[in-house]
Amino acid sequence: MKCEDYRARLPEYWEGALVDEERADLEMHLAACAACRGEARSLGEIWRGLGNIPEAQPPSDLRRRFYERLESYQQGALETPPGPSWAARLRSWLPTHPAWQIGLAAAMLVVGFFAGYQMDNRRDAAQVSQLRAEVNNMRQLVTLSLLQQQNASERLRGVTYAYRMAESDTEVLSALLETINHDPNVNVRLAAVDALHGFSGSPVARRGLIQSLSRQESPLVQVSLIDTLAEMKDEQAVPALRTLAGDQAANPQVRQRAEWALGRLSH
Amino acid sequence: MVTESDEKLMAAVRAGDLRKLAVLFERHHRALFSFFVHMNGNRDLSQDLVQDVFFRILRYRHTYVDGRAFPAWMYQIARNASIDTGNKRKGELQLVTNREDDEDRSAREPVSELVAADEAIRRRQEIDLLRRALARLPDEKREVLVLSRFQNLAYEEIAAILGCEVGTVKVRVFRATKALGEIYFELAGERAS
C-alpha cells in the first residue's frame, strides 16, 4: 500500500472504526514513515477540534411550524378537490329568463338575511370549537411522536405533553398505557403513571392501571401504581391488590403498600 | 415502548399514515438543521430548508423504495433542496458564530478555576478558527466532512448519498480534512504574526 492509501484510513483510525488488523497495519506504517506520522498528528488535532464545535440548536418554532404545516397538509389531503363540472351543473339549475333571475335574486337576499341573522350567534362558538379541535390534534401528534423516540428524555417530554390532552383522547391514553407497560426506562414509566392521574375518569385507564400492576417489576413503579389506584377508589382493583399483597416474591414494601391500599378501598 | 425503525415508519407514511412523519421529524430534524447550518451558515435559511425537506418527503413519499436506508434518502433530498435554494441565494454565505450554542456548552462545563478559564478561552479561540476555516472550504469538501464528522453517518451511507464508491468517500474525507488543516494553520499563522 502507498502512503496515500494509509492516509485515507486516518479518519477511521481517529474514530476508532478500524478493525484490529487494519489498525495494527496502519500503526506499523506510522512508526516507519515520518511524513505520514507528521500528517496524522497535525490533522488528528483538527479532527478532534471539529468534535468540540457545538451542534447548532434549532430555533424553538421550527417544531411548531412543522406541526402546523403537517396538520394543514393532512386536511388538504383529506378534502377532495371539486369536480370540474361543478360550475356547469350549477349553471344548468339557474333560470335563464331575466324576470325569474330577478325573482331568484330577491328570494336569495331574503334567505341570506335570515340565515345571516341565525348564523351570527352560532359562528363564534363554531370557530372556537374548531380552533380547539385543531390545537388538540396538534398536541396529540406531538405527544405520540415524542413517546416513540429512542431517547428517554424525549419520551419524558412526550409524557409531560400528555398532561395537556383532553381526558377523552383514547389514542394518547393507550400510548401512555403502552409506555407504562413497556418503556425500558423507570423514570419514563413513573411519569406516565403520574400523567394517567388526569385520566382517572376513564374506565379504560383504570382497567389498564390494574392490569399493569401484575406486570411491573420495578417496586418504584408498583408503589406509584398502587397509590394511584387507591386515590381513584376503584374497587375493581381489590383482587389485583390482594394478589400482590400475598405474593411472597414481591418486594416487602410493595406488599405493605398494597395492604395499606386494600385498607383504604374497603372503607 | 417498542420503537419502529425509520424505514418502517417511512413505509407507513408512503402508505398514507402521514402522522408517522412526525416521528421521523422528531428523530432527525436536529441533525438536519445542523447539517444545513454547516453548509450555508444561515440559521433562518436552514430552518426553511428543514421544513422544505420534510414536505418534499411527503410530496415524493411514493418514490421511497422499501428497505432503502432512510437517512441516506433524507440527505439526498436535503442536498437537492439545498442546491435549489442555494442557487437562488448564492453569495449569502455568512459565518454564524452561534454565541448561544457556545455559551450553552461552556455553561455545562464547570469552569471554576483560573486554569480552566484559560483553557476555555483557548478552546473558544480554536473553535472560532475552525469555524472560519470550515466556511472557507469549497462546498463539496465541506459537505463530505460534515456528513462524516457531524452527522454520524457510516461511509456506506455517505457513499449512497453522494452516489460514489465507499473507497472514494474515504479518500475524499481525508482530502477534505487535509484542505481544512491547510486553511486552519494558515489562519492561525496570520493571527500569530
Side-chain angles (χ1 to χ4, degrees), chain A residues 21 104 145 252:
Chain A
E21 197 183 314
L104 181 68
S145 323

Side-chain angles (χ1 to χ4, degrees), chain B residues 83-97:
Chain B
I83 290 165
D84 289 351
T85 43
N87 288 342
K88 277 185 231 147
R89 305 174 68 156
K90 205 137 210 160
E92 275 183 45
L93 182 73
Q94 41 180 282
L95 190 61
V96 271
T97 42

Side-chain angles (χ1 to χ4, degrees), chain A residues 4 7 12 39 47 49-50 52 54 56-57 62-63 65 67 69 74 140 145 148-149 182-183, chain B residues 1 3 19 22 26-27 43 47-48 51 55 101-102 127 130 149-150 155 170 174-175 178:
Chain A
E4 181 76 357
R7 290 178 189 186
E12 285 174 286
E39 191 120 303
W47 188 264
L50 287 174
N52 290 332
Q57 294 301 317
L62 178 69
R63 175 183 268 134
R65 279 176 53 201
Y67 281 103
R69 272 186 74 180
Q74 278 180 297
Q140 185 198 44
S145 323
Q148 279 263 335
Q149 298 308 305
H182 300 294
D183 199 287
Chain B
M1 187 142 212
T3 45
R19 309 169 62 106
E26 291 296 342
R27 276 186 201 168
R43 287 175 63 87
Q47 181 179 3
D48 291 344
Q51 301 284 357
F55 286 91
D101 296 333
D102 286 353
I127 288 174
L130 267 174
R149 187 68 178 104
F150 298 113
Y155 282 164
K170 292 183 187 183
F174 174 72
R175 287 194 184 147
K178 190 170 161 64

Side-chain angles (χ1 to χ4, degrees), chain A residues 16-267:
Chain A
L18 288 181
V19 295
D20 289 348
E21 197 183 314
E22 286 172 329
R23 198 186 60 228
D25 195 27
L26 178 64
E27 279 170 355
M28 228 155 75
H29 177 77
L30 290 180
C33 173
C36 283
R37 195 163 59 236
E39 191 120 303
R41 193 181 307 130
S42 64
L43 294 183
E45 220 172 278
I46 298 284
W47 188 264
R48 272 183 294 280
L50 287 174
N52 290 332
I53 297 183
E55 195 180 45
Q57 294 301 317
S60 54
D61 62 332
L62 178 69
R63 175 183 268 134
R64 182 184 55 77
R65 279 176 53 201
F66 168 79
Y67 281 103
E68 276 170 9
R69 272 186 74 180
L70 181 60
E71 202 74 37
S72 57
Y73 189 96
Q74 278 180 297
Q75 273 169 11
L78 289 177
E79 283 161 15
T80 47
S85 60
W86 190 80
R89 234 182 295 155
L90 185 68
R91 218 171 290 128
S92 70
W93 274 82
L94 294 175
T96 45
H97 194 277
W100 283 112
Q101 283 178 343
I102 292 167
L104 181 68
M108 296 268 267
L109 199 66
V110 174
V111 171
F113 181 77
F114 277 102
Y117 184 75
Q118 288 282 319
M119 289 287 283
D120 207 34
N121 297 325
R122 289 187 211 159
R123 201 185 50 208
D124 287 348
Q127 270 181 349
V128 168
S129 73
Q130 192 195 341
L131 269 175
R132 193 170 292 149
E134 275 170 21
V135 168
N136 265 334
N137 274 345
M138 198 166 110
R139 281 187 190 149
Q140 185 198 44
L141 204 54
V142 177
T143 310
L144 294 175
S145 323
L146 285 172
L147 284 175
Q148 279 263 335
Q149 298 308 305
Q150 301 264 332
N151 187 315
S153 66
E154 293 287 300
R155 296 200 302 278
L156 258 178
R157 276 178 47 199
V159 172
T160 40
Y161 245 92
Y163 280 100
R164 303 186 214 170
M165 295 304 307
E167 198 180 320
S168 53
D169 198 304
T170 47
E171 238 178 295
V172 168
L173 174 59
S174 60
L176 282 174
L177 283 171
E178 171 92 7
T179 301
I180 293 179
N181 287 330
H182 300 294
D183 199 287
N185 185 302
V186 174
N187 288 326
V188 177
R189 297 209 300 271
L190 279 173
V193 173
D194 284 343
L196 270 182
H197 271 285
F199 290 79
S200 61
S202 152
V204 181
R206 281 180 296 183
R207 212 174 321 126
L209 286 173
I210 295 169
Q211 282 168 358
S212 179
L213 204 53
S214 58
R215 292 191 195 162
Q216 289 299 330
E217 278 164 13
S218 152
L220 269 176
V221 181
Q222 283 176 316
V223 168
S224 174
L225 276 172
I226 293 167
D227 288 358
T228 308
L229 286 170
E231 225 167 276
M232 288 178 178
K233 294 205 177 356
D234 189 335
E235 285 178 8
Q236 286 176 10
V238 169
L241 286 170
R242 203 164 278 153
T243 317
L244 195 58
D247 184 359
Q248 295 298 323
N251 178 299
Q253 271 168 328
V254 171
R255 288 169 51 199
Q256 217 173 10
R257 199 72 183 164
E259 206 69 69
W260 164 85
L262 279 170
R264 279 195 63 172
L265 284 176
S266 59
H267 282 311

Side-chain angles (χ1 to χ4, degrees), chain B residues 115-161:
Chain B
V115 189
D118 216 39
E119 168 67 21
I121 291 167
R122 197 195 58 76
R123 179 182 269 198
R124 176 161 290 188
Q125 280 173 344
E126 188 191 275
I127 288 174
D128 228 44
L129 215 53
L130 267 174
R131 278 215 180 103
R132 281 168 56 200
L134 261 176
R136 287 203 194 176
L137 212 56
D139 282 355
E140 74 280 0
K141 285 203 164 71
R142 188 165 63 243
E143 182 177 52
V144 78
L145 203 55
V146 167
L147 288 173
S148 68
R149 187 68 178 104
F150 298 113
Q151 307 308 115
N152 290 324
L153 291 166
Y155 282 164
E156 285 75 17
E157 288 179 298
I158 298 174
I161 295 168

Side-chain angles (χ1 to χ4, degrees), chain B residues 61-78:
Chain B
R61 59 184 184 273
H62 57 276
T63 65
Y64 174 74
V65 183
D66 270 329
R68 176 146 187 217
F70 176 77
W73 191 60
M74 183 185 76
Y75 279 105
Q76 234 163 16
I77 292 174

